[in-house]
Amino acid sequence: MIYIYVDTKDYDYTKLDKALEYAQKENIKEFIFLVNDIRSIDYLREKGYKAINLDGFEDVFNVVTHDDKLYYNTDENDEFVKIQYPTSKKF
């Protein structure tokens, strides 16, 4: 599975649009968004995408496994993700 985490605690939907542009540019076809608020889930569902609500970036451990791919956009500390998921990529 492919996941795209976007920090949306500030309700800035332009981050979601940039993530969608990134996915198109990188030819990432099937993925699930990981976001921080319910409004973002509604926004993405209206566009036809699936999304899961997480309380914070560290909650990716509850969803993402070592066989999954993770792309992310956050200002939060990402050292644990780099260690745990070496194939993850920040965009």
Side-chain angles (χ1 to χ4, degrees):
M1 181 61 63
I2 300 172
Y3 295 97
I4 298 178
Y5 175 85
V6 180
D7 184 353
T8 58
K9 288 180 278 203
D10 58 2
Y11 307 112
D12 182 0
Y13 299 137
T14 60
K15 292 179 184 177
L16 296 172
D17 294 333
K18 288 179 184 176
L20 287 169
E21 289 173 14
Y22 177 80
Q24 289 174 348
K25 177 183 159 196
E26 296 295 317
N27 202 27
I28 304 169
K29 296 288 183 190
E30 293 187 31
F31 56 88
I32 296 176
F33 273 102
L34 304 173
V35 296
N36 303 111
D37 70 290
I38 301 298
R39 292 179 196 148
S40 293
I41 291 174
D42 287 339
Y43 179 80
L44 291 165
R45 284 186 180 163
E46 287 177 9
K47 293 181 171 278
Y49 296 97
K50 295 179 182 179
I52 297 172
N53 185 40
L54 302 179
D55 289 334
F57 189 43
E58 66 278 357
D59 288 336
V60 298
F61 287 120
N62 298 329
V63 180
V64 181
T65 67
H66 294 286
D67 295 331
D68 297 328
K69 286 196 165 202
L70 174 65
Y71 299 90
Y72 62 96
N73 182 5
T74 184
D75 294 332
E76 297 178 62
N77 184 344
D78 63 351
E79 288 301 315
F80 70 93
V81 170
K82 289 178 182 177
I83 293 167
Q84 194 72 19
Y85 307 105
T87 60
S88 64
K89 185 174 182 183
K90 186 171 185 173
F91 66 93

Coordinates of all heavy atoms in Angstrom, one line a residue:
M1 N 0.9 -1.2 0.0 CA 0.0 0.0 0.0 C 0.9 1.2 0.0 O 2.0 1.2 0.5 CB -0.9 0.0 1.3 CG -1.8 1.1 1.4 SD -3.1 1.3 0.1 CE -4.0 -0.2 0.2
I2 N 0.4 2.3 -0.6 CA 1.1 3.6 -0.6 C 0.3 4.6 0.2 O -0.9 4.7 0.0 CB 1.3 4.0 -2.1 CG1 2.1 3.0 -2.9 CG2 2.0 5.4 -2.1 CD1 2.2 3.3 -4.4
Y3 N 1.0 5.3 1.0 CA 0.4 6.3 1.9 C 1.0 7.7 1.6 O 2.3 7.7 1.4 CB 0.5 6.0 3.4 CG -0.3 4.7 3.8 CD1 0.4 3.5 3.8 CD2 -1.6 4.7 4.0 CE1 -0.3 2.3 4.2 CE2 -2.3 3.6 4.4 CZ -1.6 2.4 4.5 OH -2.3 1.3 4.8
I4 N 0.2 8.7 1.7 CA 0.8 10.1 1.6 C 0.3 10.8 2.8 O -0.9 11.0 3.0 CB 0.3 10.8 0.3 CG1 0.8 10.0 -0.9 CG2 0.8 12.2 0.3 CD1 0.4 10.6 -2.2
Y5 N 1.2 11.2 3.7 CA 0.9 11.9 4.9 C 1.1 13.4 4.7 O 2.1 13.8 4.2 CB 1.8 11.5 6.1 CG 1.6 12.3 7.3 CD1 0.6 12.0 8.2 CD2 2.4 13.5 7.6 CE1 0.4 12.8 9.4 CE2 2.1 14.2 8.7 CZ 1.2 13.9 9.6 OH 0.9 14.7 10.7
V6 N 0.0 14.2 5.0 CA 0.1 15.6 4.9 C -0.4 16.2 6.3 O -1.4 15.9 6.8 CB -0.8 16.1 3.8 CG1 -0.7 17.7 3.7 CG2 -0.4 15.5 2.5
D7 N 0.5 17.0 6.9 CA 0.2 17.7 8.1 C -0.9 18.8 7.8 O -0.6 19.8 7.2 CB 1.4 18.3 8.7 CG 1.2 19.0 10.1 OD1 0.0 19.0 10.5 OD2 2.2 19.4 10.7
T8 N -2.1 18.5 8.3 CA -3.2 19.4 8.0 C -3.8 20.1 9.2 O -5.0 20.5 9.2 CB -4.3 18.7 7.2 OG1 -4.8 17.6 8.0 CG2 -3.8 18.2 5.8
K9 N -3.1 20.1 10.3 CA -3.6 20.7 11.5 C -4.0 22.2 11.4 O -4.8 22.7 12.1 CB -2.6 20.5 12.7 CG -2.5 19.1 13.2 CD -1.5 19.0 14.3 CE -0.2 18.9 13.6 NZ 0.9 18.3 14.4
D10 N -3.4 22.8 10.4 CA -3.6 24.2 10.2 C -4.7 24.5 9.1 O -5.0 25.6 8.8 CB -2.4 25.0 9.7 CG -1.8 24.4 8.5 OD1 -2.3 23.4 7.9 OD2 -0.7 24.9 8.1
Y11 N -5.4 23.4 8.7 CA -6.5 23.4 7.7 C -6.1 24.1 6.4 O -6.9 24.7 5.7 CB -7.7 24.2 8.3 CG -8.2 23.6 9.6 CD1 -8.0 24.3 10.8 CD2 -8.7 22.3 9.7 CE1 -8.4 23.8 12.0 CE2 -9.1 21.8 10.9 CZ -9.0 22.5 12.0 OH -9.4 22.0 13.2
D12 N -4.8 24.0 6.0 CA -4.3 24.6 4.8 C -4.5 23.5 3.7 O -3.6 22.7 3.5 CB -2.9 25.0 4.9 CG -2.3 25.7 3.7 OD1 -3.0 25.8 2.7 OD2 -1.1 26.0 3.7
Y13 N -5.5 23.6 2.9 CA -5.8 22.7 1.9 C -4.9 22.8 0.7 O -4.8 21.9 -0.2 CB -7.3 22.7 1.4 CG -8.2 22.4 2.6 CD1 -9.4 23.2 2.7 CD2 -8.0 21.4 3.4 CE1 -10.2 22.9 3.8 CE2 -8.9 21.1 4.5 CZ -10.0 21.9 4.6 OH -10.8 21.6 5.7
T14 N -4.2 23.9 0.6 CA -3.2 24.0 -0.5 C -2.1 22.9 -0.4 O -1.6 22.4 -1.4 CB -2.6 25.3 -0.6 OG1 -1.9 25.6 0.6 CG2 -3.6 26.4 -0.9
K15 N -1.8 22.5 0.8 CA -0.9 21.4 1.1 C -1.4 20.1 0.4 O -0.6 19.3 -0.1 CB -0.7 21.1 2.5 CG 0.1 22.2 3.2 CD 0.2 21.9 4.7 CE 0.8 23.0 5.5 NZ 0.9 22.7 6.9
L16 N -2.7 19.9 0.5 CA -3.3 18.7 -0.1 C -3.2 18.7 -1.6 O -2.9 17.8 -2.3 CB -4.8 18.5 0.4 CG -4.9 18.2 1.9 CD1 -6.4 18.3 2.3 CD2 -4.3 16.9 2.3
D17 N -3.5 19.9 -2.1 CA -3.4 20.1 -3.6 C -2.0 19.9 -4.1 O -1.8 19.3 -5.1 CB -3.9 21.5 -4.0 CG -5.4 21.7 -3.7 OD1 -6.1 20.7 -3.7 OD2 -5.8 22.8 -3.5
K18 N -1.0 20.4 -3.3 CA 0.4 20.1 -3.7 C 0.8 18.6 -3.6 O 1.5 18.1 -4.4 CB 1.3 20.9 -2.7 CG 1.3 22.4 -3.0 CD 2.2 23.2 -2.1 CE 2.1 24.7 -2.3 NZ 2.8 25.4 -1.3
A19 N 0.2 17.9 -2.6 CA 0.4 16.5 -2.5 C -0.2 15.8 -3.7 O 0.4 14.8 -4.3 CB -0.2 16.0 -1.2
L20 N -1.3 16.2 -4.1 CA -2.0 15.6 -5.3 C -1.1 15.9 -6.6 O -0.9 15.0 -7.4 CB -3.4 16.1 -5.5 CG -4.4 15.6 -4.5 CD1 -5.7 16.4 -4.6 CD2 -4.7 14.1 -4.8
E21 N -0.6 17.1 -6.7 CA 0.3 17.4 -7.8 C 1.5 16.5 -7.8 O 2.0 16.0 -8.8 CB 0.7 18.9 -7.8 CG -0.4 19.8 -8.1 CD 0.0 21.3 -7.9 OE1 1.2 21.6 -7.8 OE2 -1.0 22.1 -7.9
Y22 N 2.1 16.4 -6.6 CA 3.3 15.5 -6.4 C 3.0 14.1 -6.9 O 3.8 13.5 -7.6 CB 3.8 15.6 -5.0 CG 5.0 14.7 -4.7 CD1 6.2 15.1 -5.1 CD2 4.8 13.4 -4.2 CE1 7.3 14.3 -4.9 CE2 5.9 12.6 -4.0 CZ 7.2 13.0 -4.3 OH 8.3 12.2 -4.1
A23 N 1.9 13.6 -6.4 CA 1.5 12.2 -6.8 C 1.3 12.0 -8.3 O 1.8 11.0 -8.9 CB 0.2 11.8 -6.1
Q24 N 0.8 13.0 -8.9 CA 0.6 13.0 -10.4 C 2.0 13.0 -11.1 O 2.3 12.3 -12.0 CB -0.3 14.1 -10.9 CG -1.7 13.9 -10.5 CD -2.6 15.1 -10.9 OE1 -2.1 16.1 -11.2 NE2 -3.9 14.9 -10.8
K25 N 2.8 13.9 -10.6 CA 4.2 14.1 -11.2 C 5.0 12.9 -11.0 O 5.7 12.5 -12.0 CB 4.9 15.3 -10.5 CG 6.3 15.5 -10.9 CD 6.9 16.7 -10.1 CE 8.4 16.6 -10.1 NZ 9.0 17.4 -9.1
E26 N 4.9 12.2 -9.9 CA 5.7 11.0 -9.6 C 5.0 9.7 -10.1 O 5.4 8.6 -9.9 CB 6.0 10.8 -8.1 CG 6.8 11.9 -7.6 CD 8.2 11.9 -8.2 OE1 8.8 10.8 -8.3 OE2 8.8 13.0 -8.5
N27 N 3.8 9.9 -10.7 CA 3.0 8.8 -11.3 C 2.6 7.8 -10.2 O 2.7 6.6 -10.4 CB 3.8 8.1 -12.4 CG 2.8 7.3 -13.3 OD1 1.6 7.7 -13.4 ND2 3.3 6.3 -14.0
I28 N 2.2 8.3 -9.0 CA 1.7 7.5 -7.9 C 0.2 7.3 -8.1 O -0.5 8.3 -8.1 CB 2.0 8.1 -6.6 CG1 3.5 8.4 -6.4 CG2 1.5 7.2 -5.4 CD1 3.9 9.3 -5.3
K29 N -0.2 6.1 -8.4 CA -1.6 5.9 -8.8 C -2.6 5.6 -7.7 O -3.5 6.4 -7.4 CB -1.7 4.7 -9.8 CG -0.9 4.9 -11.1 CD -1.6 5.9 -12.0 CE -0.9 6.1 -13.3 NZ -1.4 7.2 -14.1
E30 N -2.4 4.5 -7.0 CA -3.3 4.2 -5.9 C -2.7 4.4 -4.6 O -1.6 3.8 -4.3 CB -3.7 2.7 -6.0 CG -4.5 2.5 -7.3 CD -5.1 1.0 -7.3 OE1 -5.3 0.5 -6.2 OE2 -5.2 0.5 -8.4
F31 N -3.3 5.3 -3.8 CA -2.7 5.6 -2.5 C -3.8 6.1 -1.5 O -4.9 6.3 -2.0 CB -1.7 6.7 -2.6 CG -2.2 8.0 -3.3 CD1 -2.7 9.0 -2.5 CD2 -2.0 8.1 -4.6 CE1 -3.2 10.1 -3.1 CE2 -2.5 9.3 -5.3 CZ -3.1 10.3 -4.5
I32 N -3.5 6.1 -0.3 CA -4.4 6.6 0.8 C -3.7 7.8 1.5 O -2.6 7.7 1.9 CB -4.8 5.5 1.8 CG1 -5.5 4.4 1.1 CG2 -5.6 6.1 2.9 CD1 -5.8 3.2 1.9
F33 N -4.5 8.9 1.7 CA -4.0 10.0 2.4 C -4.1 9.8 3.9 O -5.0 9.1 4.4 CB -4.8 11.3 2.1 CG -4.3 12.0 0.9 CD1 -5.0 11.9 -0.3 CD2 -3.2 12.9 1.0 CE1 -4.6 12.6 -1.4 CE2 -2.8 13.6 -0.1 CZ -3.5 13.5 -1.3
L34 N -3.1 10.2 4.6 CA -3.1 10.3 6.1 C -3.1 11.8 6.4 O -2.1 12.5 6.1 CB -1.8 9.6 6.6 CG -1.7 8.1 6.2 CD1 -0.3 7.6 6.7 CD2 -2.8 7.2 6.7
V35 N -4.1 12.2 7.1 CA -4.2 13.6 7.5 C -4.6 13.8 8.9 O -4.8 12.8 9.6 CB -5.3 14.3 6.6 CG1 -4.9 14.3 5.1 CG2 -6.7 13.6 6.7
N36 N -4.7 15.1 9.4 CA -4.9 15.3 10.8 C -6.2 15.9 11.2 O -6.4 16.3 12.3 CB -3.8 16.3 11.3 CG -2.4 15.9 11.1 OD1 -1.7 16.4 10.3 ND2 -2.0 14.8 11.8
D37 N -7.2 16.0 10.3 CA -8.4 16.6 10.6 C -9.6 16.0 9.7 O -9.3 15.6 8.6 CB -8.4 18.1 10.6 CG -8.3 18.6 9.1 OD1 -7.2 18.4 8.5 OD2 -9.3 19.2 8.7
I38 N -10.7 16.1 10.2 CA -11.9 15.5 9.5 C -12.2 16.3 8.3 O -12.7 15.8 7.3 CB -13.1 15.5 10.5 CG1 -12.8 14.6 11.7 CG2 -14.4 15.0 9.8 CD1 -12.5 13.2 11.4
R39 N -12.0 17.6 8.4 CA -12.4 18.5 7.2 C -11.5 18.1 6.0 O -12.0 18.2 4.8 CB -12.1 20.0 7.5 CG -13.1 20.5 8.6 CD -12.8 22.0 8.9 NE -13.4 22.3 10.1 CZ -13.0 23.2 10.9 NH1 -11.8 23.8 10.7 NH2 -13.6 23.5 12.0
S40 N -10.3 17.8 6.2 CA -9.4 17.3 5.1 C -9.9 16.0 4.5 O -9.9 15.9 3.3 CB -8.0 17.1 5.6 OG -7.4 18.4 5.9
I41 N -10.4 15.2 5.3 CA -11.0 13.9 4.8 C -12.2 14.2 3.9 O -12.3 13.7 2.8 CB -11.4 13.0 5.9 CG1 -10.2 12.5 6.6 CG2 -12.2 11.8 5.4 CD1 -10.4 11.6 7.9
D42 N -13.1 15.1 4.3 CA -14.2 15.5 3.5 C -13.7 16.1 2.2 O -14.3 15.8 1.1 CB -15.1 16.5 4.2 CG -15.9 15.9 5.3 OD1 -16.1 14.6 5.2 OD2 -16.4 16.6 6.2
Y43 N -12.7 17.0 2.3 CA -12.2 17.7 1.1 C -11.7 16.6 0.1 O -11.9 16.7 -1.1 CB -11.1 18.6 1.5 CG -10.4 19.4 0.4 CD1 -11.0 20.5 -0.2 CD2 -9.1 19.0 -0.1 CE1 -10.3 21.2 -1.2 CE2 -8.5 19.6 -1.1 CZ -9.1 20.8 -1.6 OH -8.4 21.4 -2.6
L44 N -10.9 15.7 0.6 CA -10.3 14.6 -0.3 C -11.4 13.7 -0.9 O -11.3 13.3 -2.0 CB -9.3 13.9 0.5 CG -8.0 14.7 0.8 CD1 -7.2 14.0 1.8 CD2 -7.2 15.0 -0.5
R45 N -12.4 13.3 -0.1 CA -13.4 12.5 -0.5 C -14.2 13.1 -1.7 O -14.7 12.4 -2.6 CB -14.4 12.1 0.6 CG -13.8 11.0 1.5 CD -14.7 10.5 2.5 NE -14.1 9.6 3.4 CZ -14.5 9.2 4.6 NH1 -15.7 9.7 5.0 NH2 -13.9 8.3 5.3
E46 N -14.4 14.4 -1.6 CA -15.1 15.1 -2.6 C -14.3 15.0 -3.9 O -14.9 15.1 -5.0 CB -15.3 16.6 -2.2 CG -16.4 16.8 -1.2 CD -16.5 18.3 -0.8 OE1 -15.9 19.1 -1.4 OE2 -17.3 18.5 0.2
K47 N -13.0 14.9 -3.8 CA -12.2 14.8 -5.0 C -12.0 13.3 -5.4 O -11.3 13.0 -6.4 CB -10.8 15.4 -4.8 CG -10.9 16.9 -4.6 CD -9.5 17.5 -4.4 CE -9.5 19.0 -4.4 NZ -9.5 19.5 -5.8
G48 N -12.6 12.4 -4.7 CA -12.5 11.0 -5.0 C -11.4 10.2 -4.4 O -11.1 9.1 -4.9
Y49 N -10.8 10.7 -3.4 CA -9.6 10.0 -2.7 C -10.0 9.5 -1.3 O -10.9 10.0 -0.7 CB -8.5 11.0 -2.6 CG -7.9 11.4 -3.9 CD1 -8.3 12.6 -4.5 CD2 -7.0 10.6 -4.6 CE1 -7.8 13.1 -5.7 CE2 -6.5 11.0 -5.8 CZ -6.9 12.2 -6.4 OH -6.5 12.6 -7.6
K50 N -9.3 8.5 -0.9 CA -9.5 7.9 0.4 C -8.5 8.6 1.4 O -7.4 9.0 1.0 CB -9.2 6.4 0.4 CG -10.2 5.6 -0.4 CD -9.8 4.2 -0.4 CE -10.8 3.4 -1.3 NZ -10.5 2.0 -1.3
A51 N -9.0 8.7 2.7 CA -8.1 9.3 3.7 C -8.4 8.8 5.0 O -9.5 8.3 5.3 CB -8.3 10.8 3.7
I52 N -7.4 8.8 5.9 CA -7.5 8.3 7.3 C -7.0 9.4 8.2 O -6.0 10.1 7.9 CB -6.5 7.1 7.5 CG1 -7.0 5.9 6.6 CG2 -6.5 6.7 9.0 CD1 -6.0 4.7 6.6
N53 N -7.7 9.6 9.3 CA -7.4 10.7 10.2 C -6.4 10.2 11.2 O -6.6 9.1 11.9 CB -8.7 11.2 10.9 CG -8.4 12.3 11.8 OD1 -7.7 13.2 11.5 ND2 -9.1 12.3 13.0
L54 N -5.3 10.9 11.4 CA -4.3 10.6 12.5 C -4.2 11.8 13.4 O -4.3 12.9 13.0 CB -2.9 10.3 11.8 CG -2.8 9.2 10.8 CD1 -1.4 9.1 10.3 CD2 -3.3 7.9 11.4
D55 N -3.9 11.5 14.7 CA -3.7 12.6 15.6 C -2.4 13.3 15.4 O -2.4 14.5 15.6 CB -3.7 12.1 17.1 CG -5.1 11.6 17.5 OD1 -6.1 12.1 16.9 OD2 -5.2 10.8 18.4
G56 N -1.4 12.6 14.9 CA -0.1 13.3 14.7 C 0.7 12.4 13.8 O 0.4 11.3 13.5
F57 N 1.9 12.9 13.4 CA 2.8 12.3 12.5 C 3.3 10.9 13.1 O 3.4 9.9 12.3 CB 4.0 13.2 12.2 CG 4.9 12.7 11.1 CD1 4.3 12.1 9.9 CD2 6.2 12.8 11.2 CE1 5.2 11.7 8.9 CE2 7.1 12.4 10.2 CZ 6.5 11.8 9.0
E58 N 3.5 10.9 14.4 CA 3.9 9.6 15.0 C 2.9 8.5 14.9 O 3.3 7.3 15.0 CB 4.3 9.8 16.5 CG 3.1 10.2 17.3 CD 2.8 11.6 17.3 OE1 3.4 12.4 16.7 OE2 1.8 12.0 18.0
D59 N 1.7 8.8 14.5 CA 0.7 7.8 14.4 C 0.8 7.0 13.1 O 0.0 6.0 12.9 CB -0.7 8.4 14.5 CG -1.1 8.8 15.9 OD1 -0.5 8.2 16.8 OD2 -1.9 9.6 16.1
V60 N 1.7 7.3 12.2 CA 1.9 6.5 11.0 C 2.3 5.1 11.4 O 2.0 4.2 10.6 CB 3.0 7.1 10.0 CG1 2.6 8.5 9.5 CG2 4.4 7.2 10.7
F61 N 2.9 4.9 12.6 CA 3.2 3.6 13.0 C 2.0 2.7 13.2 O 2.1 1.5 13.1 CB 4.0 3.6 14.4 CG 5.4 4.1 14.3 CD1 5.8 5.2 14.9 CD2 6.3 3.4 13.5 CE1 7.1 5.7 14.9 CE2 7.6 3.9 13.4 CZ 8.0 5.0 14.1
N62 N 0.8 3.3 13.4 CA -0.4 2.6 13.6 C -1.0 2.1 12.3 O -1.9 1.2 12.3 CB -1.5 3.4 14.3 CG -1.0 3.8 15.7 OD1 -0.3 3.1 16.4 ND2 -1.5 5.0 16.1
V63 N -0.5 2.6 11.2 CA -1.1 2.3 9.9 C -0.1 1.7 8.9 O -0.3 0.7 8.3 CB -1.7 3.6 9.2 CG1 -2.3 3.3 7.9 CG2 -2.7 4.2 10.2
V64 N 1.1 2.3 8.8 CA 2.1 1.9 7.8 C 2.9 0.8 8.3 O 3.4 0.8 9.4 CB 3.0 3.1 7.5 CG1 4.0 2.8 6.4 CG2 2.1 4.3 7.0
T65 N 3.1 -0.2 7.4 CA 4.0 -1.3 7.7 C 5.3 -1.2 6.9 O 5.4 -0.3 6.0 CB 3.3 -2.7 7.4 OG1 3.2 -2.8 6.0 CG2 2.0 -2.8 8.1
H66 N 6.2 -2.1 7.1 CA 7.5 -2.0 6.4 C 7.4 -2.3 4.9 O 8.3 -2.0 4.2 CB 8.5 -3.0 7.1 CG 8.9 -2.6 8.5 ND1 9.7 -1.5 8.7 CD2 8.5 -3.1 9.7 CE1 9.8 -1.4 10.0 NE2 9.1 -2.3 10.6
D67 N 6.3 -3.0 4.6 CA 6.1 -3.3 3.1 C 5.5 -2.2 2.4 O 5.4 -2.2 1.2 CB 5.3 -4.6 3.0 CG 6.0 -5.8 3.6 OD1 7.2 -5.8 3.5 OD2 5.2 -6.7 4.0
D68 N 5.0 -1.2 3.1 CA 4.3 0.0 2.5 C 5.3 1.0 2.1 O 6.4 1.1 2.6 CB 3.3 0.5 3.5 CG 2.2 -0.4 3.9 OD1 1.8 -1.3 3.0 OD2 1.7 -0.3 5.0
K69 N 4.8 1.9 1.2 CA 5.6 3.1 0.8 C 4.9 4.3 1.5 O 3.7 4.4 1.6 CB 5.6 3.3 -0.7 CG 6.5 2.4 -1.4 CD 6.7 2.9 -2.8 CE 7.9 2.1 -3.4 NZ 8.5 2.8 -4.4
L70 N 5.7 5.2 2.0 CA 5.2 6.4 2.7 C 5.9 7.7 2.1 O 7.1 7.8 2.0 CB 5.6 6.3 4.2 CG 5.2 7.6 5.0 CD1 3.7 7.9 5.0 CD2 5.8 7.5 6.4
Y71 N 5.1 8.6 1.6 CA 5.5 9.9 1.2 C 4.9 10.9 2.2 O 3.8 10.7 2.6 CB 5.0 10.2 -0.2 CG 5.5 9.2 -1.3 CD1 4.8 8.1 -1.6 CD2 6.6 9.5 -2.0 CE1 5.2 7.2 -2.5 CE2 7.1 8.6 -2.9 CZ 6.4 7.5 -3.2 OH 6.8 6.6 -4.1
Y72 N 5.6 11.9 2.6 CA 5.1 12.8 3.6 C 5.6 14.2 3.4 O 6.6 14.5 2.8 CB 5.5 12.2 5.0 CG 7.0 12.2 5.3 CD1 7.6 13.2 5.9 CD2 7.7 11.1 4.9 CE1 9.0 13.2 6.2 CE2 9.1 11.0 5.1 CZ 9.7 12.1 5.8 OH 11.0 12.0 6.0
N73 N 4.7 15.1 4.0 CA 5.0 16.5 4.0 C 4.6 17.0 5.4 O 3.4 17.2 5.7 CB 4.2 17.2 2.9 CG 4.5 18.7 2.8 OD1 5.3 19.2 3.5 ND2 3.7 19.4 2.0
T74 N 5.6 17.3 6.2 CA 5.4 17.8 7.5 C 6.6 18.6 8.0 O 7.7 18.4 7.5 CB 5.1 16.7 8.5 OG1 4.8 17.2 9.8 CG2 6.2 15.7 8.6
D75 N 6.3 19.5 8.9 CA 7.4 20.2 9.6 C 7.8 19.5 10.9 O 8.8 19.9 11.5 CB 7.0 21.7 9.9 CG 6.8 22.5 8.6 OD1 7.4 22.1 7.6 OD2 6.0 23.4 8.6
E76 N 7.1 18.5 11.3 CA 7.4 17.8 12.5 C 8.7 17.0 12.3 O 9.2 16.7 11.2 CB 6.2 16.8 12.8 CG 4.9 17.5 13.1 CD 3.8 16.5 13.4 OE1 3.9 15.8 14.3 OE2 2.9 16.5 12.6
N77 N 9.3 16.6 13.5 CA 10.5 15.8 13.5 C 10.2 14.5 12.7 O 9.3 13.7 13.1 CB 10.9 15.5 14.9 CG 12.2 14.8 15.0 OD1 12.7 14.2 14.0 ND2 12.8 14.8 16.1
D78 N 11.0 14.2 11.7 CA 10.8 13.0 10.9 C 11.9 11.9 11.1 O 12.0 11.0 10.3 CB 10.7 13.4 9.5 CG 11.9 14.0 8.9 OD1 12.8 14.3 9.6 OD2 11.9 14.2 7.6
E79 N 12.8 12.1 12.1 CA 13.9 11.2 12.3 C 13.4 9.8 12.5 O 14.0 8.8 11.9 CB 14.8 11.6 13.4 CG 15.6 12.8 13.1 CD 16.5 12.7 11.9 OE1 17.2 11.6 11.8 OE2 16.6 13.6 11.0
F80 N 12.4 9.6 13.3 CA 11.9 8.2 13.6 C 11.4 7.5 12.3 O 11.5 6.3 12.1 CB 10.8 8.2 14.7 CG 9.5 8.8 14.3 CD1 8.5 8.0 13.8 CD2 9.3 10.2 14.4 CE1 7.3 8.6 13.4 CE2 8.1 10.7 14.0 CZ 7.1 10.0 13.6
V81 N 10.8 8.3 11.4 CA 10.3 7.8 10.2 C 11.4 7.4 9.3 O 11.4 6.3 8.7 CB 9.3 8.8 9.5 CG1 9.0 8.3 8.1 CG2 8.1 9.0 10.3
K82 N 12.4 8.2 9.2 CA 13.6 7.8 8.4 C 14.3 6.6 8.8 O 14.7 5.8 8.0 CB 14.6 9.0 8.4 CG 14.2 10.2 7.6 CD 15.2 11.3 7.8 CE 14.8 12.6 7.1 NZ 15.7 13.7 7.3
I83 N 14.3 6.4 10.1 CA 14.9 5.2 10.7 C 14.0 3.9 10.5 O 14.5 2.9 10.0 CB 15.2 5.4 12.2 CG1 16.3 6.4 12.4 CG2 15.6 4.0 12.9 CD1 16.5 6.9 13.8
Q84 N 12.7 4.1 10.8 CA 11.8 3.0 10.7 C 11.4 2.6 9.3 O 11.2 1.4 9.0 CB 10.5 3.3 11.5 CG 9.6 2.1 11.8 CD 10.2 1.2 12.9 OE1 11.1 1.6 13.6 NE2 9.8 0.0 12.9
Y85 N 11.3 3.6 8.5 CA 10.9 3.4 7.1 C 11.9 4.0 6.1 O 11.7 5.1 5.6 CB 9.5 4.0 6.8 CG 8.5 3.5 7.8 CD1 8.0 4.4 8.8 CD2 7.9 2.3 7.7 CE1 7.0 4.0 9.7 CE2 7.0 1.8 8.5 CZ 6.5 2.7 9.5 OH 5.6 2.3 10.4
P86 N 13.1 3.3 5.9 CA 14.1 3.9 5.1 C 13.7 4.3 3.7 O 14.4 5.1 3.0 CB 15.2 2.9 5.1 CG 14.7 1.7 5.7 CD 13.4 2.0 6.4
T87 N 12.7 3.6 3.2 CA 12.3 4.0 1.8 C 11.3 5.1 1.7 O 10.8 5.5 0.7 CB 11.6 2.7 1.1 OG1 10.5 2.3 1.9 CG2 12.6 1.6 1.0
S88 N 10.9 5.7 2.9 CA 10.0 6.8 2.9 C 10.6 8.0 2.2 O 11.9 8.1 2.1 CB 9.6 7.2 4.3 OG 10.7 7.6 5.1
K89 N 9.8 8.9 1.8 CA 10.3 10.1 1.0 C 9.6 11.4 1.4 O 8.3 11.4 1.3 CB 10.2 9.8 -0.5 CG 10.9 10.9 -1.3 CD 10.9 10.6 -2.8 CE 11.5 11.6 -3.6 NZ 11.5 11.3 -5.0
K90 N 10.3 12.4 1.8 CA 9.7 13.7 2.1 C 9.6 14.5 0.8 O 10.5 14.4 0.0 CB 10.5 14.4 3.1 CG 9.9 15.7 3.6 CD 10.7 16.3 4.8 CE 9.9 17.5 5.3 NZ 10.6 18.0 6.5
F91 N 8.4 15.1 0.6 CA 8.3 16.0 -0.6 C 7.9 17.4 -0.2 O 7.6 17.7 0.9 CB 7.2 15.4 -1.5 CG 5.8 15.4 -1.0 CD1 5.0 16.4 -1.2 CD2 5.4 14.3 -0.2 CE1 3.7 16.4 -0.8 CE2 4.1 14.3 0.3 CZ 3.2 15.3 0.0

